[in-house]
Amino acid sequence: MIVNAFGAAKRTELDPSIHTPIVESLLAYSPVAFAVIDPQGNFLEMNEASSRLLGYDQSELIGKSFFPLIDSENEQGIRSNFQQALQGELKDMTIDIKHASGYSHKVTINTAPILQNGSCIGVLTISHDASDRNRIQERIRYMANYDDMTGLPNRHSFMRMLDDRLEEAKRRGELGRLAVFQLDVDRFKLLNATFGREYGDMLLLQVAERVTRGLTESDAAARMEGDEFAILYAHTGDEQELDEKARSLKLLLDEPFELQGFPLHITASIGIAVNHSADDDAGHLVKKADLALAKVKESGKNDFLFYSEEWDDRSRERLALEHDLKIALQKKQLVLHYQPQYHLQTGDIVGVEALVRWEHPERGLVPPGQFIELAEENGLIVQIGDWVLREACRQNKAWQDAGLRKIPVSVNLSIRQFMQQHLHEKVADILRETRLDAKYLDLEITETMTIDVSHASRCLLELTKLGVTISVDDFGTGYSSFHYLKNLPIGRLKIDRSFVRDIQQDPSDAAIVAAIIAMAHNLNLQVIAEGVETEEQKRFLQEHRCDEMQGFLWGRPMRGEAIRAILAEAG
């Protein structure tokens, strides 16, 4: 009879001449710890691996009882297992063994009977150290639940704990008494880039320590990712209490940090969400706090803000609109309307401004005020702007090819388009593609685009070399420096509609409009007034020798077919 390494007794017929050598080889060389114990619990035999596991020499244990090596708490259990093994059962358990050095460590022991002529003459033990495995399992568990650098719970652990706390609050009817703070270190990427990742990690360790100061047993903090921390506060339901907590936390973080002797001041932004709704789970509540945090950062950082339920509908609407806008570009739902521009003295049409509109299959015609700002934020404005430029040039060329009056088309450039490298090359490619003469394209920029004078000068010179003209849109509402008017290749100013609107009622607006016209003419610039809606406004502009106008008085934005009819009538 031999016992295999899994503790299973298996009856095998062996030649007696090789039986003893096999056993001796197992005892001598096997890395598995074997020991043979007699019915009284004394060691009869053991291999080197077993003695190493216990920390003794074999000579110190042979003939000695096994039981004194067992921790007292486990002794009764192992004695019971030993007796069951003597009765023919296979047993295993993990127990604490007293090592020769004095410490206890966990050992997993499998016991099996040794049978001879049908009788049990002893017990075979097969042992291995469970401590390493336990340490590995504990390390894995720790890494799954805690941030390795700060020692705080990680996102996974925090979200699980938050879900449990929210469920408990729901059962107790304690809505409005749990608050999540999402805290983000302002300009952390800049700090990391300036001082290095090592300093960044040192800072986060100190932030983690301050974040956890003053937390009660009912509170919790976690490092969510990067420089973002989450704090769960249990409170009385009074928002003023949370307001004070947020202010105290900010004051705590305002104190200088020390990084290897270097004092460093930081600021932090905090978004706060409270479990007012029974439908809030961890994901919803953290998302609300994240949204409040994002709004703080948009508003200049270094502040805190409570989430408002009103944001939800607007956020969902905004996300839906962003999705639909991407589809609109793919499915060609964008269209151009054109507003005619007229010479104020003769009344002749002298140009058109291309204005983008969105023909949504469900919402109908969406005006630019509802989607242009969104497109600027998500970067789609460049793609939209390129399409508008190409389509306006194509349409103007089509009118000319039909024998209609040749007039320029004005196209607005977004700040993102204007800041692109090689904009002039893109414009040149579109002009070649549509075969439109460059002098029939007018590009409109805003005053704010000229703040970077060197870029603006270089870009506008490259564009005017192509033959296109440049107009400044919304003049008087932005940068308003005469420097760029003198030094940049600009051909026309557009007086903003906000000045034209009250030209009859507000003497200041009237004075501003008159001054702009006079100044522009002295600089040899053309002037066009936007938003002209009344005869009185038109007469004032005529009296002050404004060159051109556009507005509802003589023409609203219209589709290309209507402009074609106007051009045909103009001859």
Side-chain angles (χ1 to χ4, degrees), residues 431-442:
L431 289 171
R432 277 194 298 271
E433 177 186 327
T434 59
R435 296 181 294 110
L436 180 69
D437 192 321
K439 67 182 178 181
Y440 295 113
L441 174 62
D442 177 67

Side-chain angles (χ1 to χ4, degrees), residues 378-402:
N378 62 26
L380 287 175
I381 192 66
V382 173
Q383 195 173 346
I384 292 173
D386 291 348
W387 177 84
V388 169
L389 182 60
R390 181 175 284 103
E391 176 59 20
C393 290
R394 184 206 63 78
Q395 178 64 83
N396 199 13
K397 177 60 176 171
W399 288 329
Q400 294 180 8
D401 288 347

Side-chain angles (χ1 to χ4, degrees), residues 82-106:
F82 185 75
Q83 290 302 318
Q84 291 172 18
L86 288 172
Q87 295 169 16
E89 295 185 33
L90 304 177
K91 303 296 293 183
D92 63 84
M93 67 185 300
T94 299
I95 61 173
D96 290 320
I97 290 288
K98 297 174 184 176
H99 193 269
S101 61
Y103 68 87
S104 294
H105 66 124
K106 291 193 179 298

Side-chain angles (χ1 to χ4, degrees), residues 499-510 534 536-537:
F499 297 118
V500 175
R501 182 180 57 243
D502 297 325
I503 209 170
Q504 297 301 114
Q505 294 79 29
D506 191 333
S508 296
D509 283 349
T534 68
E536 290 78 9
Q537 292 168 351

Side-chain angles (χ1 to χ4, degrees), residues 121 169 216 269 284 318 351 373 387 431 505 512 516 518 530:
I121 61 170
T216 69
S269 301
H284 284 121
R318 195 173 180 83
E373 182 181 350
W387 177 84
L431 289 171
Q505 294 79 29
I512 289 172
I516 291 174
E530 294 183 291

Side-chain angles (χ1 to χ4, degrees), residues 25 52 55-56 99 230 346 349 570:
S25 293
R52 281 199 308 270
Y56 295 90
H99 193 269
T346 66
I349 185 170

Side-chain angles (χ1 to χ4, degrees), residues 45 222 230 256:
E45 189 64 80

Side-chain angles (χ1 to χ4, degrees), residues 215-227:
L215 294 185
T216 69
E217 291 183 357
S218 301
D219 304 329
R223 183 189 180 196
M224 302 298 270
E225 57 190 4
D227 60 316

